[in-house]
Amino acid sequence: MSQIRIPTPLRKFTGGMDEVPGSGNTLRAVLENLESQHAGIRKQICDSNGELRRFVNVFINEEDARYLAGLDSEIKEGDVISIIPAIAGGTKNRPGE
Amino acid sequence: MAKTFQELMADLRKELTEIEPEQLAKMRSGPPEISLIDVREMDEFRQGSIPGAIHIPRGFLELKIEDRIPDRNTPVVLFCAGGTRSLLAAESLRRLGYGQVSSLIGGFRRWKDEGRDCETPAVLGDWERQRYARHLAIPEVGEEGQKRLLEAKVLLIGAGGLGSPAAFYLGAAGVGTIGICDFDVVDESNLQRQILHTTDRVGTDKTESAKTTLLALNPRLKVETFNERLSSKNVARIFEPFDVIVDGSDNFPTRYLVNDASVLLGMPNVHGSVYRFEGQVTVFWPGKGPCYRCLYPEPPPADMAPSCAEAGVLGILPGVIGLLEAVETIKIILGIGDILIGRLLAYDALKATFHELKLRKNPECAYCRSGIEFPGFIDYEQFCAVPSATAS
């Protein structure tokens, strides 16, 4: 079992949970399982070809999965997967903005 | 029987090592590396010293030496104006257990008369010395570091949630020139986090408000304001005179312009971003580590970016992240410590945790990979229907 850290913008897919358990031996499998638990989230992370989106980075522990084996990166027991989407800063919260 | 001064000096000359300027000149080119200490008073030091010398007036020598030279086996050469005070100082260091101490015969006067290299050291005025006394007390900053801060030029992108605390502390620290780029006006809803501004300035330009606050804090600062929206047209002109960029913007078009200009000009870009209870900080320094585009080659399409309506932030969070940006900026200026290059520091306020992720340089990066021509600036479209301001 691994652990997936859900960034704030994607927590609407996990019922507000900031961490969910991951299962699977590869990043691909973990993301597939994540989608089966929380429908709609995978599309935020992967494009229509199933590849990682360019404005989302996924880290396995502290390493960027892209510089490991991408979606084929091995996930071991206890690994922490962090999903880090590009965030502009976004403190605008006035109505109409 | 008590000794006369002459007798004391004669005894010390027998017991301690004195060296000729010629010998010091050889020792300075090492190895082993030596520590050279100027034990004269400040007014003497100010007029000129030997390059690389540490200035510790004789009255403070015993107090400060362990801090400045912790290793008692370091070869130490002391000098004063003529070679007398440095000999007395050498005796003190010997008593403190420094084993390889020597005193320069003829002192700085003879060194200079022989035409050897001298420099007028970077020294501060009395006002600066008093104002920044707590910096001067840290060896890693000291007089030289403070001088660097005073000469540094830092540009803040946005006088908002991130820029406010960063500007406050950079100004307090004596960063001599602070540029502020923002085209927005102060809105009441900004005041939950944008501490440079005040209630009575609602509706006025943020750059002017920021300048008023910073000059009230530190009247000797030079504050340069750029009351304009950053674009492909003005970004290089605005950035060019500065040494470090502190990115506190709140939108992707600005983030990418900041990155691309920092790549073009080879400037460190101190990056911070916040979202609700989470914040991130890193330093993108082209040539030394990855750039923003190594991480995110392009901004997300509008429908995939977190919508502006759902964004929001705990007011204190940009305070924390903006201050981390200020710390990295100070380290860059001083050239100390491990700068957050190639590392993303992520802060979760609710969990009260920091974690660190490794950022790699993308060998395919369209902007910062070596040997390519600069592809040019891009004005990406704003995502929010209503014109967005620069500062987060």
Side-chain angles (χ1 to χ4, degrees), chain A residues 54-55 57 84-89, chain B residues 247 249-260 262-263 269 271-273 280 282-286 289-300 344 359-362 365-368 380 383:
Chain A
R54 283 303 339 196
F55 50 86
N57 287 318
I84 311 282
I87 296 219
Chain B
D247 186 359
S249 62
D250 71 347
N251 61 82
F252 286 112
T254 305
R255 294 267 183 214
Y256 281 89
L257 283 170
V258 168
N259 179 72
D260 299 351
S262 96
V263 171
N269 164 19
H271 174 99
S273 68
Q280 301 171 354
T282 185
V283 174
F284 297 115
W285 196 339
C291 79
Y292 188 59
R293 283 192 193 265
C294 292
L295 245 72
Y296 303 113
E298 281 181 4
L344 182 81
L359 305 183
R360 305 272 177 202
K361 206 168 149 61
N362 178 2
C365 180
Y367 275 71
C368 79
Y380 291 106
F383 297 131

Side-chain angles (χ1 to χ4, degrees), chain A residues 77-97:
Chain A
E77 180 75 24
D79 279 350
V80 177
I81 299 160
S82 305
I83 301 164
I84 311 282
I87 296 219
T91 60
K92 309 294 273 181
N93 57 352
R94 285 174 284 181
E97 284 194 32

Side-chain angles (χ1 to χ4, degrees), chain A residues 5 8 11-12 18 53-55 57 59 61-63 67 84-86 88-94 96-97, chain B residues 187 189 193 249-250 252 255 274 278 295-297 301 304 308 310-311 313 351 355 358 360 362 386 392:
Chain A
R5 287 198 179 126
T8 311
R11 284 181 200 158
K12 58 186 173 226
D18 56 9
R53 289 188 182 276
R54 283 303 339 196
F55 50 86
N57 287 318
F59 291 80
N61 302 318
E62 71 276 16
E63 288 288 349
Y67 298 100
I84 311 282
T91 60
K92 309 294 273 181
N93 57 352
R94 285 174 284 181
E97 284 194 32
Chain B
D187 182 274
S189 71
R193 62 193 180 282
S249 62
D250 71 347
F252 286 112
R255 294 267 183 214
V274 289
E278 290 179 292
L295 245 72
Y296 303 113
M304 299 300 283
C308 298
E310 69 189 37
V313 71
K351 287 204 162 69
H355 68 271
K358 282 186 196 156
R360 305 272 177 202
N362 178 2
V386 173
S392 72

